[in-house]
Amino acid sequence: CSGQTDLMYDPKREDAAKALCRRCEVSGPCLMGAIRNREAFGIFGRMTPEERKLPKVVLSAFGRARRAA
């Protein structure tokens, strides 16, 4: 997060955190790491903890779409 970890854990700044993720080269691996480690807080790979609870089929499609973009 380029030294901006406070931003990633501030619920009031979720949009700004997701915008930072959109520019990140490692947002896919970041998201997968958060899911694998069951991160309960913060924005990882453009997703909130609630969004990371989506079914794995949806997350797989998200990953394929990100690679194609």
Side-chain angles (χ1 to χ4, degrees):
C1 304
S2 304
Q4 298 186 41
T5 53
D6 289 349
L7 173 68
M8 308 315 275
Y9 290 93
D10 185 347
K12 295 176 185 170
R13 300 177 65 199
E14 181 179 307
D15 291 337
K18 286 183 175 186
L20 182 64
C21 287
R22 277 193 285 283
R23 297 187 304 267
C24 182
E25 297 176 2
V26 295
S27 63
C30 180
L31 172 61
M32 292 299 116
I35 292 169
R36 190 173 30 258
N37 295 319
R38 297 187 175 137
E39 293 287 345
F41 303 99
I43 304 294
F44 289 90
R46 297 186 339 190
M47 296 184 115
T48 64
E50 293 78 25
E51 292 166 336
R52 292 193 298 269
K53 292 178 186 175
L54 292 171
K56 291 183 183 192
V57 172
V58 173
L59 292 172
S60 294
F62 175 79
R64 284 192 302 274
R66 296 252 323 132
R67 286 190 295 275

